[in-house]
mmCIF file of all heavy atoms in Angstrom:
data_model
loop_
_atom_site.group_PDB
_atom_site.id
_atom_site.type_symbol
_atom_site.label_atom_id
_atom_site.label_comp_id
_atom_site.label_asym_id
_atom_site.label_seq_id
_atom_site.Cartn_x
_atom_site.Cartn_y
_atom_site.Cartn_z
ATOM 1 N N PRO A 8 19.893 -14.088 -5.721
ATOM 2 C CA PRO A 8 18.787 -13.348 -6.337
ATOM 3 C C PRO A 8 18.240 -12.267 -5.395
ATOM 4 O O PRO A 8 17.711 -11.270 -5.839
ATOM 5 C CB PRO A 8 17.733 -14.428 -6.590
ATOM 6 C CG PRO A 8 18.452 -15.719 -6.480
ATOM 7 C CD PRO A 8 19.650 -15.508 -5.651
ATOM 8 N N SER A 9 18.370 -12.528 -4.058
ATOM 9 C CA SER A 9 17.799 -11.559 -3.124
ATOM 10 C C SER A 9 18.510 -10.207 -3.232
ATOM 11 O O SER A 9 17.968 -9.183 -2.851
ATOM 12 C CB SER A 9 17.877 -12.095 -1.700
ATOM 13 O OG SER A 9 19.218 -12.077 -1.263
ATOM 14 N N THR A 11 18.992 -8.572 -5.767
ATOM 15 C CA THR A 11 18.276 -7.714 -6.700
ATOM 16 C C THR A 11 17.012 -7.142 -6.077
ATOM 17 O O THR A 11 16.353 -6.317 -6.663
ATOM 18 C CB THR A 11 17.868 -8.510 -7.958
ATOM 19 O OG1 THR A 11 17.031 -9.592 -7.533
ATOM 20 C CG2 THR A 11 19.067 -9.051 -8.673
ATOM 21 N N ARG A 12 16.677 -7.604 -4.890
ATOM 22 C CA ARG A 12 15.449 -7.123 -4.266
ATOM 23 C C ARG A 12 15.721 -6.204 -3.089
ATOM 24 O O ARG A 12 14.832 -5.876 -2.333
ATOM 25 C CB ARG A 12 14.593 -8.304 -3.784
ATOM 26 C CG ARG A 12 13.900 -9.018 -4.888
ATOM 27 C CD ARG A 12 12.854 -9.911 -4.313
ATOM 28 N NE ARG A 12 11.604 -9.194 -4.143
ATOM 29 C CZ ARG A 12 10.694 -9.500 -3.216
ATOM 30 N NH1 ARG A 12 10.938 -10.448 -2.357
ATOM 31 N NH2 ARG A 12 9.573 -8.833 -3.133
ATOM 32 N N GLU B 169 5.214 -9.979 -6.129
ATOM 33 C CA GLU B 169 6.030 -11.106 -6.515
ATOM 34 C C GLU B 169 7.441 -10.655 -6.815
ATOM 35 O O GLU B 169 7.652 -9.673 -7.510
ATOM 36 C CB GLU B 169 5.416 -11.768 -7.755
ATOM 37 C CG GLU B 169 3.995 -12.165 -7.489
ATOM 38 C CD GLU B 169 3.536 -13.269 -8.398
ATOM 39 O OE1 GLU B 169 4.381 -13.838 -9.100
ATOM 40 O OE2 GLU B 169 2.335 -13.560 -8.398
ATOM 41 N N GLN B 170 8.395 -11.416 -6.289
ATOM 42 C CA GLN B 170 9.766 -10.945 -6.424
ATOM 43 C C GLN B 170 10.297 -11.118 -7.839
ATOM 44 O O GLN B 170 11.255 -10.471 -8.213
ATOM 45 C CB GLN B 170 10.674 -11.632 -5.415
ATOM 46 C CG GLN B 170 10.942 -13.099 -5.654
ATOM 47 C CD GLN B 170 11.856 -13.638 -4.555
ATOM 48 O OE1 GLN B 170 11.440 -13.918 -3.451
ATOM 49 N NE2 GLN B 170 13.128 -13.755 -4.878
ATOM 50 N N GLU B 171 9.632 -11.963 -8.644
ATOM 51 C CA GLU B 171 10.106 -12.154 -10.015
ATOM 52 C C GLU B 171 10.133 -10.845 -10.795
ATOM 53 O O GLU B 171 11.035 -10.605 -11.594
ATOM 54 C CB GLU B 171 9.219 -13.161 -10.764
ATOM 55 C CG GLU B 171 9.461 -14.609 -10.402
ATOM 56 C CD GLU B 171 8.732 -15.018 -9.136
ATOM 57 O OE1 GLU B 171 8.075 -14.141 -8.533
ATOM 58 O OE2 GLU B 171 8.838 -16.185 -8.750
ATOM 59 N N VAL B 172 9.124 -10.003 -10.522
ATOM 60 C CA VAL B 172 9.024 -8.761 -11.280
ATOM 61 C C VAL B 172 10.265 -7.899 -11.055
ATOM 62 O O VAL B 172 10.846 -7.355 -11.991
ATOM 63 C CB VAL B 172 7.770 -7.977 -10.830
ATOM 64 C CG1 VAL B 172 7.454 -6.875 -11.814
ATOM 65 C CG2 VAL B 172 6.601 -8.914 -10.661
ATOM 66 N N GLU B 173 10.637 -7.808 -9.765
ATOM 67 C CA GLU B 173 11.806 -6.992 -9.449
ATOM 68 C C GLU B 173 13.073 -7.605 -10.014
ATOM 69 O O GLU B 173 13.958 -6.909 -10.502
ATOM 70 C CB GLU B 173 11.956 -6.866 -7.933
ATOM 71 C CG GLU B 173 11.020 -5.856 -7.333
ATOM 72 C CD GLU B 173 10.990 -6.001 -5.828
ATOM 73 O OE1 GLU B 173 12.006 -5.651 -5.200
ATOM 74 O OE2 GLU B 173 9.990 -6.493 -5.306
ATOM 75 N N GLU B 174 13.161 -8.933 -9.925
ATOM 76 C CA GLU B 174 14.350 -9.602 -10.454
ATOM 77 C C GLU B 174 14.446 -9.406 -11.953
ATOM 78 O O GLU B 174 15.524 -9.153 -12.482
ATOM 79 C CB GLU B 174 14.302 -11.091 -10.111
ATOM 80 C CG GLU B 174 14.655 -11.356 -8.666
ATOM 81 C CD GLU B 174 14.294 -12.757 -8.214
ATOM 82 O OE1 GLU B 174 13.911 -13.580 -9.070
ATOM 83 O OE2 GLU B 174 14.379 -13.000 -7.010
ATOM 84 N N ALA B 175 13.294 -9.471 -12.607
ATOM 85 C CA ALA B 175 13.282 -9.253 -14.048
ATOM 86 C C ALA B 175 13.772 -7.843 -14.369
ATOM 87 O O ALA B 175 14.612 -7.640 -15.248
ATOM 88 C CB ALA B 175 11.877 -9.457 -14.599
ATOM 89 N N ALA B 176 13.281 -6.865 -13.596
ATOM 90 C CA ALA B 176 13.699 -5.487 -13.824
ATOM 91 C C ALA B 176 15.206 -5.360 -13.640
ATOM 92 O O ALA B 176 15.897 -4.707 -14.424
ATOM 93 C CB ALA B 176 12.952 -4.548 -12.876
ATOM 94 N N ALA B 177 15.723 -6.014 -12.568
ATOM 95 C CA ALA B 177 17.149 -5.933 -12.285
ATOM 96 C C ALA B 177 17.946 -6.608 -13.401
ATOM 97 O O ALA B 177 18.969 -6.088 -13.854
ATOM 98 C CB ALA B 177 17.452 -6.581 -10.938
ATOM 99 N N CYS B 178 17.459 -7.755 -13.871
ATOM 100 C CA CYS B 178 18.154 -8.467 -14.937
ATOM 101 C C CYS B 178 18.195 -7.649 -16.224
ATOM 102 O O CYS B 178 19.134 -7.704 -16.993
ATOM 103 C CB CYS B 178 17.470 -9.807 -15.226
ATOM 104 S SG CYS B 178 17.718 -10.989 -13.909
ATOM 105 N N LEU B 179 17.141 -6.869 -16.418
ATOM 106 C CA LEU B 179 17.083 -6.056 -17.633
ATOM 107 C C LEU B 179 17.891 -4.777 -17.483
ATOM 108 O O LEU B 179 17.859 -3.909 -18.339
ATOM 109 C CB LEU B 179 15.628 -5.731 -17.978
ATOM 110 C CG LEU B 179 14.790 -6.941 -18.410
ATOM 111 C CD1 LEU B 179 13.325 -6.587 -18.487
ATOM 112 C CD2 LEU B 179 15.280 -7.485 -19.742
ATOM 113 N N GLY B 180 18.562 -4.641 -16.362
ATOM 114 C CA GLY B 180 19.499 -3.530 -16.206
ATOM 115 C C GLY B 180 18.985 -2.340 -15.439
ATOM 116 O O GLY B 180 19.647 -1.310 -15.368
ATOM 117 N N ARG B 183 18.032 0.075 -8.647
ATOM 118 C CA ARG B 183 16.984 -0.049 -7.635
ATOM 119 C C ARG B 183 15.960 1.068 -7.730
ATOM 120 O O ARG B 183 14.763 0.871 -7.598
ATOM 121 C CB ARG B 183 17.609 -0.028 -6.232
ATOM 122 C CG ARG B 183 17.988 -1.375 -5.699
ATOM 123 C CD ARG B 183 16.970 -2.451 -5.903
ATOM 124 N NE ARG B 183 15.904 -2.459 -4.903
ATOM 125 C CZ ARG B 183 14.833 -3.229 -4.986
ATOM 126 N NH1 ARG B 183 14.675 -4.033 -6.008
ATOM 127 N NH2 ARG B 183 13.909 -3.188 -4.057
ATOM 128 N N THR B 186 13.731 0.554 -10.659
ATOM 129 C CA THR B 186 12.802 -0.530 -10.366
ATOM 130 C C THR B 186 11.671 -0.034 -9.479
ATOM 131 O O THR B 186 10.503 -0.338 -9.695
ATOM 132 C CB THR B 186 13.531 -1.694 -9.664
ATOM 133 O OG1 THR B 186 14.677 -2.016 -10.421
ATOM 134 C CG2 THR B 186 12.632 -2.900 -9.512
#
Side-chain angles (χ1 to χ4, degrees):
Chain A
S9 72
T11 60
R12 285 194 88 208
Chain B
E169 304 203 10
Q170 70 180 78
E171 283 82 358
V172 194
E173 281 167 71
E174 284 166 8
C178 289
L179 292 170
R183 270 316 278 172
T186 309

